Amino acid sequence: MSKHWLEWFDWKNENECEWALGYLAKAGEPLEPYGGAASSRLNLLIKKWPPRPLDPSLGPHPIHSHYRALETRMRVAYYNKRRRAAQEDHKTYSLIMKKSAQKTLTRLSAHWGLKQNQVVEHLIFSGGDLKREFDDHSKREIRRAQEEFKKQKEKLQDRLKEQQEQIKVLKREIRDLKSAPLERKVTKVQKRLRSYDANKPNEE
């Protein structure tokens, strides 16, 4: 059994002592009003506690039960604090889920060999990966559709240019026909008809 209260605590660390004072103040322990070093204030506070019994064979005295419980709670909070500080990339979350989710969560935990918080974390990251994959697929499909539209647009523009050129040729021929003698008009019309017949697809 420890000989002194808070024997496990890091008394040399003023920041830790400041945390301990804050914890004990919230627990209802009276703090000294002066603003000295945190370790000195904490030491003065602990000195006011009753001496810790050294004989474990003695039954728990009512005067010690409160301080033992307080020290136990403080020790748990302290080591939880240090564990969280050592895991800077972790954060505590408070989640409210349907009771029916517990069965699935327990089954996944056993199946994957993970703790339940690790299962939730895995599902979150998996969902993020799926979203990124979906976004990448969507972007690829959009690019493919844009490229296809561009190709179709270019084909239509080429056909439009060809038709415009044909229209120019026809307009030019029409002007020539209007100004040409009758014999030349008939000859040109006949040539146009023969050209049309030659290019006409075979219907047989």
Side-chain angles (χ1 to χ4, degrees):
M1 178 179 289
S2 300
K3 297 181 180 180
H4 305 287
W5 299 108
L6 308 187
E7 195 172 49
W8 44 268
F9 191 72
D10 184 7
W11 289 83
K12 296 179 181 180
N13 191 320
E14 291 295 327
N15 290 330
E16 300 291 337
C17 292
E18 195 67 48
W19 173 86
L21 288 171
Y23 182 91
L24 293 172
K26 289 180 180 179
E29 291 296 304
L31 301 183
E32 292 295 333
Y34 79 96
S39 56
S40 299
R41 295 167 61 198
L42 181 61
N43 186 47
L44 288 174
L45 175 62
I46 299 304
K47 282 183 177 180
K48 293 181 180 179
W49 291 11
R52 188 162 189 161
L54 301 179
D55 189 354
S57 64
L58 297 176
H61 193 279
I63 195 172
H64 298 111
S65 60
H66 165 74
Y67 294 100
R68 281 182 174 174
L70 177 59
E71 183 185 42
T72 299
R73 293 195 303 271
M74 182 177 175
R75 188 170 188 172
V76 171
Y78 177 71
Y79 282 110
N80 285 336
K81 168 183 171 297
R82 294 189 66 178
R83 188 185 72 250
R84 288 193 298 270
Q87 299 174 336
E88 295 181 355
D89 59 338
H90 287 68
K91 179 181 178 181
T92 301
Y93 293 89
S94 178
L95 302 176
I96 299 177
M97 298 185 292
K98 291 183 178 180
K99 293 181 179 179
S100 57
Q102 181 62 49
K103 183 177 179 180
T104 302
L105 186 60
T106 302
R107 187 172 68 250
L108 290 174
S109 177
H111 178 70
W112 290 338
L114 300 174
K115 296 180 180 179
Q116 292 189 0
N117 66 308
Q118 293 174 324
V119 170
V120 175
E121 185 179 82
H122 174 71
L123 291 172
I124 290 173
F125 286 130
S126 297
D129 292 339
L130 287 174
K131 182 180 182 302
R132 283 190 293 271
E133 183 178 346
F134 175 78
D135 291 341
D136 291 341
H137 177 74
S138 298
K139 290 177 181 178
R140 288 195 299 269
E141 288 298 312
I142 291 173
R143 285 196 298 267
R144 187 189 63 79
Q146 289 174 339
E147 291 173 357
E148 186 64 26
F149 173 77
K150 184 179 179 180
K151 291 179 181 178
Q152 293 295 332
K153 183 179 178 181
E154 290 174 351
K155 287 182 180 180
L156 289 174
Q157 288 175 340
D158 291 340
R159 288 182 58 187
L160 180 61
K161 288 180 180 179
E162 291 177 0
Q163 292 175 352
Q164 289 173 344
E165 289 298 325
Q166 291 175 357
I167 291 172
K168 288 180 181 180
V169 171
L170 290 173
K171 286 182 177 180
R172 196 162 50 245
E173 291 181 354
I174 290 171
R175 287 196 303 269
D176 293 343
L177 284 172
K178 286 181 179 180
S179 61
L182 180 59
E183 295 81 4
R184 289 183 60 190
K185 293 180 182 180
V186 173
T187 302
K188 287 188 176 183
V189 171
Q190 289 174 346
K191 287 182 179 180
R192 173 62 66 183
L193 290 174
R194 284 197 296 269
S195 175
Y196 174 76
D197 291 337
N199 296 326
K200 184 178 180 181
N202 191 355
E203 296 180 356
E204 294 182 359

